[in-house]
Amino acid sequence: MYKITRFCRLVSLLFLLFTSHLATATVTAFTGTYGINYGRIADNIPSPEKVVQLLRAAKIRNVRIFDFDHSVLQAFSGTGLELVVGLPNGYLQDMSANADHALSWVKENIQQFYPQTRIVGIAIGNEVLGNDQQLSGVLLGAVKNIYNATKSLNLDKIQITTSHSFGVFDNSYPPSNCTFRDNVKQYMLPLLKFFWQIGSPFCLNAYPFLTYMSDPKHIDINYALFLKNPGIVDSQTKLHYDNLLDAQIDAAYAALEDAGFKKMEIVVTETGWASHGDPSEEVATLENARTYNFNLRKRLALKKGTPMRPKVMLRAYVFAIFNEDDKPGPTSERNFGLWKPDGSISYDVGFPALKSSAVANSPFSLKDIRAQGWLTPYSTLFTMCMMILFLLLR
């Protein structure tokens, strides 16, 4: 009788411990410092299910997609991978003009998959400001309507953002001199005000690869690749920069401060280096791509900020999982992938290749516990509870 009573008390205690952890677990927009973009403009890449297998093997948890394809959303269901879903630019006009359409879109493409699919963000358009004058005027309306739709459906934890190219800035050298371009400010300032009110970061697509190619005579290639170099000193702040990415991010921070948003965080939503290019893109080589992406991982693993914002941990999504053979533009556009379409690695930065088939594990095998522990915030706690219960009842 004593053993039965003790067993019941233990079960009750462990149940309370486990469920209280569930109750306090919250979805965050970015776990850790490293993420990746999952572009799919290709006709030869693996299925979404195999992509999930690849990402889990590589232990990459943060993922961005550029659309809301249901096969992808379904494949990510139950995996613990944290997904930012994209609303393409072609939808902005409609979403801005019609709040009911925005609500329907959120119901059909977000709510029906949530929370089994850990959707942590919705990216409203991509690189609109500074590139498309017509869409610039409707971006904020689309952002507000999608945000209001998520609130009305109790999806408040999903972060609403939009990403900007480096083209929204003016006078970015030295970093402290950077401001937003005059023709961008009329759209950028009210957008920043709204994002500040709802707690969203400034999302920046930053490519040292492109910046270097625009001015190779005055930029040290080692400075762009995180390799040893003299660096630069900002003449106004006296801050020293040993890599171009940090300088680009601090230029964005300077522009935000100039606009009145000094405390807004920056998340790098795209960065990478092409492994192959046209003759005019001679720095798009396999070795340079490997060097940039390997050193970027090391830089992010330090969990530190930039010279201007040393206490704000840098977070970045690398571009991209695959080479995408159907993308238009120069050859480099089709060669940013860390993996080839067949799942083999493009170059070695420490990630595994995609295996041909997943290994089916017992739900209580040690192998599965190791694989799932970083994916599900309470799986390790559950396993520990079961082990303690087993030992106490022996």
Side-chain angles (χ1 to χ4, degrees):
M1 184 70 181
Y2 172 72
K3 283 190 174 182
I4 294 174
T5 303
R6 187 174 64 163
F7 173 80
C8 292
R9 287 176 178 172
L10 282 170
V11 169
S12 299
L13 178 62
L14 292 173
F15 177 78
L16 287 172
L17 177 63
F18 181 60
T19 53
S20 65
H21 183 82
L22 287 179
T24 58
T26 58
V27 176
T28 57
F30 201 124
T31 300
T33 61
Y34 191 92
I36 200 162
N37 286 276
Y38 175 16
R40 300 184 306 109
I41 306 177
D43 59 8
N44 56 357
I45 58 177
S47 67
E49 290 76 16
K50 287 189 175 291
V51 173
V52 165
Q53 178 190 337
L54 184 154
L55 293 169
R56 292 174 67 177
K59 296 186 178 181
I60 299 175
R61 181 170 182 170
N62 305 290
V63 186
R64 292 174 63 88
I65 59 176
F66 295 91
D67 56 21
F68 48 93
D69 185 275
H70 286 196
S71 66
V72 175
L73 298 178
Q74 188 59 51
F76 276 69
S77 177
T79 65
L81 297 171
E82 298 189 345
L83 194 63
V84 175
V85 175
L87 178 70
N89 291 357
Y91 290 81
L92 298 184
Q93 187 82 45
D94 183 40
M95 295 299 149
S96 177
N98 197 316
D100 289 339
H101 290 187
L103 180 63
S104 296
W105 184 88
V106 172
K107 285 181 178 179
E108 295 169 9
N109 302 291
I110 304 297
Q111 186 184 43
Q112 75 158 315
F113 295 97
Y114 185 90
Q116 290 77 15
T117 300
R118 288 178 63 84
I119 300 171
V120 298
I122 304 173
I124 313 299
N126 186 48
E127 298 189 347
V128 173
L129 301 189
N131 293 317
D132 192 313
Q133 191 71 17
Q134 182 177 356
L135 291 183
S136 294
V138 301
L139 176 60
L140 180 57
V143 166
K144 286 183 174 180
N145 281 343
I146 293 294
Y147 172 76
N148 289 334
T150 60
K151 277 187 67 70
S152 69
L153 297 171
N154 296 315
L155 301 173
D156 305 60
K157 293 179 181 178
I158 296 177
Q159 193 176 76
I160 308 300
T161 60
T162 189
S163 294
H164 305 285
S165 74
F166 213 71
V168 299
F169 302 121
D170 202 6
N171 305 317
S172 60
Y173 182 85
S176 62
N177 200 42
C178 188
T179 60
F180 289 109
R181 285 167 45 191
D182 288 339
N183 65 340
V184 168
K185 285 182 180 178
Q186 61 177 313
Y187 306 111
M188 181 66 78
L189 294 181
L191 185 67
L192 291 176
K193 182 178 180 181
F194 182 71
F195 279 146
W196 178 254
Q197 291 170 347
I198 66 174
S200 294
F202 183 86
C203 292
L204 175 66
N205 295 344
Y207 286 92
F209 167 72
L210 297 176
T211 302
Y212 174 81
M213 285 202 306
S214 70
D215 192 10
K217 290 183 178 180
H218 297 100
I219 300 176
D220 185 345
I221 186 67
N222 292 331
Y223 180 63
L225 292 172
F226 301 98
L227 295 174
K228 187 175 181 180
N229 68 93
I232 68 157
V233 175
D234 188 310
S235 57
Q236 298 180 45
T237 63
K238 307 305 179 186
L239 295 173
H240 179 265
Y241 293 87
D242 60 13
N243 71 84
L244 181 53
L245 181 63
D246 277 7
Q248 289 184 318
I249 295 166
D250 274 359
Y253 273 126
L256 286 171
E257 184 171 349
D258 178 73
F261 298 91
K262 181 178 180 179
K263 295 185 178 181
M264 182 172 281
E265 180 187 2
I266 291 174
V267 173
V268 176
T269 39
E270 289 183 32
T271 189
W273 199 284
S275 60
H276 185 57
D278 294 325
S280 61
E281 303 173 304
E282 59 182 22
V283 293
T285 67
L286 207 64
E287 182 57 27
N288 284 345
R290 189 203 71 81
T291 300
Y292 182 83
N293 282 290
F294 179 78
N295 288 332
L296 174 66
R297 284 188 69 196
K298 289 201 304 182
R299 163 68 180 86
L300 294 173
L302 296 174
K303 297 183 178 180
K304 69 174 186 177
T306 60
M308 192 178 289
R309 297 288 186 272
K311 295 182 180 180
V312 182
M313 186 170 64
L314 177 60
R315 308 171 191 270
Y317 293 86
V318 69
F319 188 86
I321 300 181
F322 299 113
N323 291 334
E324 298 174 78
D325 65 344
D326 285 342
K327 290 193 75 173
T331 300
S332 60
E333 284 290 323
R334 295 178 286 282
N335 289 278
F336 273 89
L338 300 187
W339 284 268
K340 297 177 183 177
D342 63 3
S344 62
I345 56 174
S346 296
Y347 40 82
D348 187 9
V349 292
F351 291 133
L354 174 63
K355 295 180 181 179
S356 58
S357 61
V359 178
N361 297 313
S362 164
F364 293 104
S365 70
L366 288 175
K367 188 173 183 180
D368 188 63
I369 291 169
R370 285 195 297 269
Q372 296 289 338
W374 63 274
L375 290 172
T376 310
Y378 45 81
S379 61
T380 302
L381 178 64
F382 176 77
T383 303
M384 290 173 63
C385 289
M386 294 301 100
M387 291 176 67
I388 292 169
L389 183 62
F390 173 75
L391 290 172
L392 291 172
L393 294 177
R394 287 182 66 182

